Amino acid sequence: MRRSATMDGGNISNPAPLVYIFSALYKSSMRFLLYHLIAAFVLGTHACHAFTPLQQSARRITTLHAMDDDTFIMVNGLPGPMATAAAEACLRKGLKLAPVAMTGPDVEPSTISVFDTVTGKKQDVKLIPSKETEKLQASIAGLKTSGNLLAIDYTHPSAVNSNAQFYVKEKIPFVMGTTGGDRDQLMKDVQGHFCVIAPNMGKQIVAMQAALEDLATKFPGAFDGYKLSVTESHQKTKADTSGTAKAVIESIEKLASDDNFTIEDIKMIRDDDEAVAFGVPPDAIKGHAFHTYTLTSADGSVSFQLQHNVAGRTIYAEGTADAVKFLSKQIHSGEPRVFNMIDVLEKGAME
Ligand SMILES: NC(=O)C1=CN([C@@H]2O[C@H](COP(=O)(O)OP(=O)(O)OC[C@H]3O[C@@H](n4cnc5c(N)ncnc54)[C@H](O)[C@@H]3O)[C@@H](O)[C@H]2O)C=CC1
Ligand SMILES: O=C(O)C1=N[C@H](C(=O)O)C[C@H](O)C1
């Protein structure tokens, strides 16, 4: 008989000693999935040592230097929801927005106001379609000569590669949150350039990814023979398969090599009713990211579940502003290189 247990709200049903189901629900007050991961392994044996590097790095909190007054952040992808959330978070965290940004072919050239309701800070931003390269170059030339210009990219999978090439050509350090595109090409194009690239900027999700990587390093193949299934639900406007799911699956595959699993096997939910049935709160239908990964033993008697469920976009927006501050610090003191969000977290640069 298949047995299962849930830890998804204190309702532990049918607890089974060999079965742990990890879940975290990020709503207005977030519960840390990492806590569940650590707790689950503390229930076990010495396996919690797998988390040592993360615990050590968490203690290495360093004070970020103040951003230069003349550093401007160009938030590309406005007026899209993620670029808007990131721009507001930048204002909230004391960063200055550039008065220009790249926008998509679906947006009329215009000027919009970014307004952070928490601090009351506001910045007008002129939107220029990304294909108008010369206009863009002219509009950022002044910003580049008068100080530092960094970019945030929350655009579209179809724009990932061309935008990254633009930043490299224009020598603009950037934080790329946009998913999709040709990721191998992206990594080739940006070598030797200051940038942070990650499919997920949420601090606790990055911590979970780091913990999974540590686990896979310490216990490679521990779940061999287990079958993987993955379901992710996002707002119906999302263009691509979850980039986070793809990254998490890469780590899971080091723990449980399921030769038959491909990215096409990820079940994507982009329908409002299905999303609600999957547990998405109705008020988060237009902005959510619910992920469930299930590992089931060959005979079906043991199953593990990992969830990260996000309502809204604040968690990524805050992490993005932290990544910008981190990158700005690197530009002043480090060698050009490509960072991911685990690097940012490990340097204690996430607030
Ligand atoms: N790394 C992370 O933590 C997160 C990543 N994302 C990713 O961010 C991206 C954007 O997400 P949403 O805002 O929800 O998407 P969206 O599709 O709703 O909005 C995209 C915006 O980008 C603009 N755009 C399209 N092509 C462009 C181009 N060539 N240059 C400049 N702007 C362009 C559009 O006009 C639109 O305003 C997606 O790839 C999504 O997966 C989203 C949330 C968190
Ligand atoms: O499009 C989104 O919304 C999200 N995209 C990212 C992804 O594809 O992984 C991160 C998160 O899932 C929200």
Side-chain angles (χ1 to χ4, degrees), residues 6-48:
T6 61
M7 290 176 67
D8 62 354
N11 295 326
I12 301 180
S13 62
N14 200 14
L18 286 177
V19 181
Y20 305 98
I21 295 183
F22 308 124
S23 76
L25 181 61
Y26 292 95
K27 288 183 178 165
S28 50
S29 65
M30 281 176 283
R31 296 184 333 189
F32 295 170
L33 176 133
L34 189 62
Y35 167 82
H36 291 289
L37 277 167
I38 292 169
F41 280 92
V42 167
L43 283 179
T45 60
H46 58 286
C48 57

Side-chain angles (χ1 to χ4, degrees), residues 76-83 102-107 130 154-159 163 176-179 198-202 235 237-238 240 313 316:
N76 297 322
L78 287 169
M82 195 51 227
M102 273 195 242
T103 195
D106 53 329
V107 176
S130 62
Y154 277 114
T155 60
H156 191 269
S158 62
N163 285 3
M176 172 68 75
T178 312
T179 51
N200 205 301
M201 306 283 171
Q235 60 282 353
T237 50
K238 181 166 173 61
D240 60 338
R313 298 178 172 90
Y316 322 116

Side-chain angles (χ1 to χ4, degrees), residues 71-260:
T71 296
F72 292 92
I73 318 302
M74 181 189 201
V75 185
N76 297 322
L78 287 169
M82 195 51 227
T84 302
E88 290 169 2
C90 285
L91 289 179
R92 202 152 57 242
K93 290 192 176 225
L95 302 171
K96 276 197 208 161
L97 298 186
V100 289
M102 273 195 242
T103 195
D106 53 329
V107 176
E108 285 296 309
S110 56
T111 296
I112 59 161
S113 275
V114 176
F115 179 67
D116 174 46
T117 52
V118 177
T119 56
K121 289 183 187 164
K122 176 174 165 285
Q123 172 68 51
D124 288 345
V125 180
K126 184 177 176 192
L127 304 180
I128 302 175
S130 62
K131 63 174 189 289
E132 295 186 21
T133 314
E134 283 173 17
K135 210 168 175 181
L136 273 167
Q137 283 165 329
S139 71
I140 59 176
L143 293 169
K144 280 169 62 182
T145 48
S146 69
N148 296 312
L149 179 66
L150 281 79
I152 290 173
D153 196 291
Y154 277 114
T155 60
H156 191 269
S158 62
V160 163
N161 296 101
S162 53
N163 285 3
Q165 285 157 10
F166 176 81
Y167 304 137
V168 171
K169 186 163 174 253
E170 294 295 321
K171 298 189 171 41
I172 303 171
F174 66 93
V175 173
M176 172 68 75
T178 312
T179 51
D182 183 337
R183 303 306 279 192
D184 292 339
Q185 188 62 48
L186 173 65
M187 296 314 281
K188 277 185 204 149
D189 289 345
V190 301
Q191 286 312 307
H193 189 80
F194 279 113
C195 56
V196 177
I197 301 178
N200 205 301
M201 306 283 171
K203 179 178 181 178
Q204 290 73 25
I205 293 174
V206 176
M208 179 206 78
Q209 289 181 274
L212 266 180
E213 271 298 302
D214 286 350
L215 198 57
T217 303
K218 185 142 195 201
F219 304 111
F223 290 79
D224 276 355
Y226 279 62
K227 184 120 201 78
L228 177 63
S229 68
V230 180
T231 304
E232 56 97 340
S233 175
H234 284 82
Q235 60 282 353
K236 61 185 169 204
T237 50
K238 181 166 173 61
D240 60 338
T241 308
S242 166
T244 311
K246 290 179 191 168
V248 168
I249 288 165
E250 269 186 42
S251 300
I252 291 178
E253 282 178 339
K254 293 178 195 160
L255 284 163
S257 54
D258 175 355
D259 289 342
N260 296 322

